[in-house]
Amino acid sequence: MSSLSKAASILTCFTTENTGLTVSGVSEKLGLPKSSVSRLMKEMAELGLLQREQDGRGYGPGYLLFQLGSIYQMRFDLLEIVERIVRELVRKTGCTGYIGLLDDGEIVAMRKHLGTDAVRYRIEVGRRYPITYLSFGKAMLARRTDEEIQGFFTKYPAARPARMSAFLTEIASIRAQGWAEATVTSVAGAHGLGVAIVSPLTNQIVGYSLSFHADLVSTQKRHEIAMALVNSARHVAALTRDSYWLNT
């Protein structure tokens, strides 16, 4: 077992009922020598992962865990905020709503809320998709500069558009209007309009979209959906202090 694995195992010894750990208690629970546990817990305390109890007999969670926990909570608070927004958009528009995160160059679908139309869209929660496949994936890219986008596709070439110049022109339009559209999907005629929100404090980016069948939605209705997404993003930005939306 590596030192990192041992450190992680030590942290799992904390529970809501047991917020203080001793060397002997951890040694017994994990079946590790006291000497190695003592040495590792001391090092973890120096790094901020643990903190010495005032009586000097044990350790509690360190300040670094508190910092990371706060960031983790804020990250998923943003998801919860967006989910409430998407639920309301789905209720008002009848479209199907999706929420996703960017992870290692791909979109991970996190939430799905079915609309009232009969079309069965083939985007499933938990699955990964190319960033250019979903409307809000393109909206996420639009939050980067052209140079950063070029670098992104150098790192993740599998998703690189065949005509980069045309793609960057599309991205420029997305930046100007705030929303992106996807028309090439797994369901013929299905379209998606999406936006992206950034939390400046954590640099977390969340995308969300509304999907509908083009045959069931007029041009005027499509514009109304886009404006509903833009207005909702501005509402979320008032909470996250996302400067893009505050200035758009």
Side-chain angles (χ1 to χ4, degrees):
M1 184 184 294
S2 68
S3 295
L4 182 59
S5 297
K6 291 177 183 176
S9 297
I10 289 171
L11 293 176
T12 63
C13 292
F14 284 115
T15 66
T16 52
E17 295 80 22
N18 183 25
T19 60
L21 303 177
T22 63
V23 171
S24 57
V26 170
S27 173
E28 182 178 350
K29 184 172 183 176
L30 299 181
L32 297 172
K34 281 188 179 181
S35 57
S36 62
V37 170
S38 176
R39 183 171 59 254
L40 185 54
M41 292 180 77
K42 181 180 179 181
E43 184 176 355
M44 290 171 70
E46 292 172 352
L47 294 172
L49 292 170
L50 297 177
Q51 181 174 301
R52 275 281 191 181
E53 300 282 25
Q54 290 186 349
D55 61 11
R57 297 180 180 179
Y59 295 86
Y63 70 89
L64 184 57
L65 294 181
F66 176 79
Q67 282 184 317
L68 294 175
S70 298
I71 292 171
Y72 182 88
Q73 185 63 43
M74 290 186 67
R75 170 180 174 177
F76 287 96
D77 277 351
L78 178 57
L79 262 182
E80 296 307 315
I81 291 169
V82 169
E83 178 152 34
R84 290 195 294 271
I85 293 289
V86 171
R87 283 181 183 274
E88 183 63 13
L89 288 170
V90 169
R91 185 187 70 79
K92 288 182 176 180
T93 65
C95 300
T96 292
Y98 294 98
I99 306 171
L101 301 177
L102 179 61
D103 179 64
D104 198 23
E106 295 180 305
I107 297 295
V108 180
M110 300 294 290
R111 311 282 168 85
K112 177 180 181 178
H113 298 286
L114 292 175
T116 55
D117 65 43
V119 180
R120 304 296 293 182
Y121 303 107
R122 297 172 190 168
I123 298 172
E124 299 302 329
V125 171
R127 289 191 60 185
R128 305 174 74 91
Y129 298 89
I131 192 169
T132 56
Y133 182 77
L134 302 177
S135 57
F136 65 74
K138 291 191 284 187
M140 287 177 169
L141 283 175
R143 301 302 301 271
R144 305 186 180 200
T145 65
D146 286 359
E147 291 75 17
E148 288 171 335
I149 292 172
Q150 294 275 14
F152 177 90
F153 287 118
T154 298
K155 185 175 182 180
Y156 304 106
R160 184 181 178 87
R163 297 176 58 213
M164 181 58 71
S165 60
F167 182 74
L168 292 177
T169 298
E170 180 184 2
I171 289 294
S173 297
I174 295 169
R175 289 195 192 103
Q177 65 193 14
W179 52 272
E181 184 170 12
T183 58
V184 180
T185 65
S186 59
V187 177
H191 286 206
L193 302 181
V195 295
I197 290 287
V198 172
S199 173
L201 182 61
T202 63
N203 205 33
Q204 173 67 26
I205 185 165
V206 175
Y208 59 100
S209 65
L210 294 173
S211 294
F212 52 87
H213 199 281
D215 293 343
L216 305 177
V217 174
S218 66
T219 301
Q220 176 61 30
K221 180 65 174 178
R222 190 178 308 181
H223 176 74
E224 292 173 2
I225 293 170
M227 291 305 97
L229 283 164
V230 167
N231 290 332
S232 72
R234 288 175 179 151
H235 177 73
V236 177
L239 302 174
T240 65
R241 311 312 298 168
D242 184 340
S243 59
Y244 168 81
W245 287 110
L246 294 177
N247 297 323
T248 299

